[in-house]
Amino acid sequence: MKNWFATDDQGRVEDLVREMIRNPDAPLEGYGGSRDNVRLTGVEDAKRYIEERGGDLPWGLRD
């Protein structure tokens, strides 16, 4: 996933992803035994997480 971002930002993205995986309230989980495999726990979980933190949902996720 970090490869979706600019090279200069990839280290920070990786740190944030690791932080989110450790956070039981975050909608991101590791799977498959590799630290590079991540997935959302669910779309509704992700929407709730974004909204609870004052973020704006991307157009395609708005109700």
Side-chain angles (χ1 to χ4, degrees), residues 15-62:
D15 291 343
L16 290 171
V17 167
R18 302 286 171 257
E19 183 179 316
M20 289 181 74
I21 289 171
R22 291 188 301 268
N23 179 349
D25 295 326
L28 197 63
E29 64 185 3
Y31 73 97
S34 170
R35 64 184 214 146
D36 293 328
N37 295 332
V38 295
R39 63 182 169 207
L40 288 175
T41 57
V43 172
E44 293 304 316
D45 293 341
K47 288 169 61 173
R48 178 184 41 78
Y49 187 84
I50 292 167
E51 289 175 329
E52 286 175 353
R53 283 152 182 81
D56 294 323
L57 293 175
W59 180 82
L61 293 179
R62 295 178 190 152

